[in-house]
Amino acid sequence: MTQRLVIANWKMNGDLAFVEALASSLPSLANVQTVIAPPAVYALRLAELAQEVFKVGLQDVGRHESGAHTGEVSAAMARDLGASVVLVGHSERRSEHAEDDAAVAAKCEQITAAELMPVICVGETLAERESGKAIDRVRAQVMAQRQCLRNAKEVAIAYEPIWAIGTGKSATATEAVQMHQAIRGALEEVAPLAAPEIRILYGGSVNAENAPELFAYSDIQGVLVGGASLDTEQFAAIIRAAAN
Ligand code: PEP
């Protein structure tokens, strides 16, 4: 677990011109692993431009290996495109596409079978936090992925409180650290052999201003960045913060 992981999730944003511009504007720092997850259709071009500066990720893949699943992209196709990382269980997938823990587990299995690295997204709603259920909710989401956590060659968890995604209202570093410690505990219970190597990232309104405070804590081993990853200068500043 030597390198911090900084992942850009473009969601349904960007275009070919942005792909070309971004590729030449990111710093390459020895102790930071940068991953860019564009819309799948841009992954191939991004991978051609990546050199050793960043890896390419996908934001999701289908839960089946192949077949009659119109509109889906399989994990093997993600690998063909040059991706080595796949986000799975993002809260927007869970809410907009009704993906439950079983669907996340099925996708995770496909991702590991294709020898790609899953980044499993977990997080609580505002109502769950306000009613004191946040830790139980997130621990349950982590534990539901026990098979994947045990089987994957490399895997990471992204803790993304749903109330902090795209709202400009980040969790405080203290709130994030408390949850990361709870997640670490869950990992040690369900995947004791793999746990020490599993990085836990924070996501939710990370920007160039709050990144240095988050990276002051060793419990935060990376970040997943949505909105701020669409601003190349700001995203480069987050990568530099991760290196310090
Ligand atoms: C995300 O969607 O993964 C995310 C963290 O978004 P934002 O940084 O915009 O809150």
Side-chain angles (χ1 to χ4, degrees):
M1 228 205 289
T2 50
Q3 283 184 311
R4 278 188 168 140
L5 190 52
V6 175
I7 305 182
N9 174 14
W10 289 6
K11 311 192 184 192
M12 201 172 71
N13 294 297
D15 55 21
L16 213 39
F18 186 54
V19 167
E20 303 283 338
L22 176 102
S24 55
S25 63
L26 295 183
S28 176
L29 301 168
N31 54 348
V32 183
Q33 193 175 36
T34 302
V35 176
I36 311 292
V41 290
Y42 297 128
L44 184 60
R45 180 62 185 142
L46 200 60
E48 286 168 355
L49 298 167
Q51 299 187 329
E52 301 289 298
V53 178
F54 56 85
K55 290 175 185 273
V56 174
L58 252 55
Q59 300 168 17
D60 183 49
V61 287
R63 71 187 78 175
H64 303 283
E65 194 178 338
S66 64
H69 307 291
T70 301
E72 294 282 43
V73 170
S74 74
M77 291 168 190
R79 194 186 50 218
D80 264 358
L81 292 172
S84 52
V85 174
V86 181
L87 306 182
V88 61
H90 190 283
S91 64
E92 286 153 19
R93 299 292 316 174
R94 291 184 193 254
S95 64
E96 291 179 19
H97 301 269
E99 289 183 8
D100 57 10
D101 286 334
V104 175
K107 289 181 177 209
C108 230
E109 198 181 317
Q110 293 298 328
I111 296 164
T112 52
E115 301 197 337
L116 305 175
M117 173 185 167
V119 176
I120 303 168
C121 303
V122 296
E124 82 284 1
T125 62
L126 188 58
E128 285 163 342
R129 174 153 289 265
E130 286 177 348
S131 58
K133 294 188 183 129
I135 288 184
D136 284 352
R137 176 78 189 110
V138 170
R139 271 177 58 88
Q141 286 176 328
V142 171
M143 291 183 149
Q145 304 310 323
R146 67 185 68 218
Q147 280 310 112
C148 185
L149 292 164
R150 288 177 189 161
N151 295 344
K153 213 164 129 200
E154 201 181 4
V155 55
I157 299 281
Y159 166 56
E160 299 203 294
I162 295 167
W163 47 270
I165 296 179
T167 59
K169 186 177 176 240
S170 173
T172 64
T174 311
E175 285 168 332
V177 165
Q178 187 193 30
M179 188 61 84
H180 282 218
Q181 289 173 350
I183 293 171
R184 179 70 55 206
L187 292 174
E188 281 161 2
E189 280 176 49
V190 294
L193 296 180
E197 294 305 318
I198 298 177
R199 286 174 286 188
I200 305 174
L201 322 184
Y202 169 75
S205 296
V206 175
N207 56 38
E209 264 171 48
N210 59 24
E213 197 200 342
L214 293 166
F215 285 123
Y217 295 89
S218 61
D219 291 300
I220 298 176
Q221 288 114 21
V223 287
L224 177 53
V225 187
S229 73
L230 299 171
D231 174 333
T232 41
E233 274 180 33
Q234 189 161 180
F235 189 59
I238 294 169
I239 295 170
R240 284 192 293 271
N244 293 328

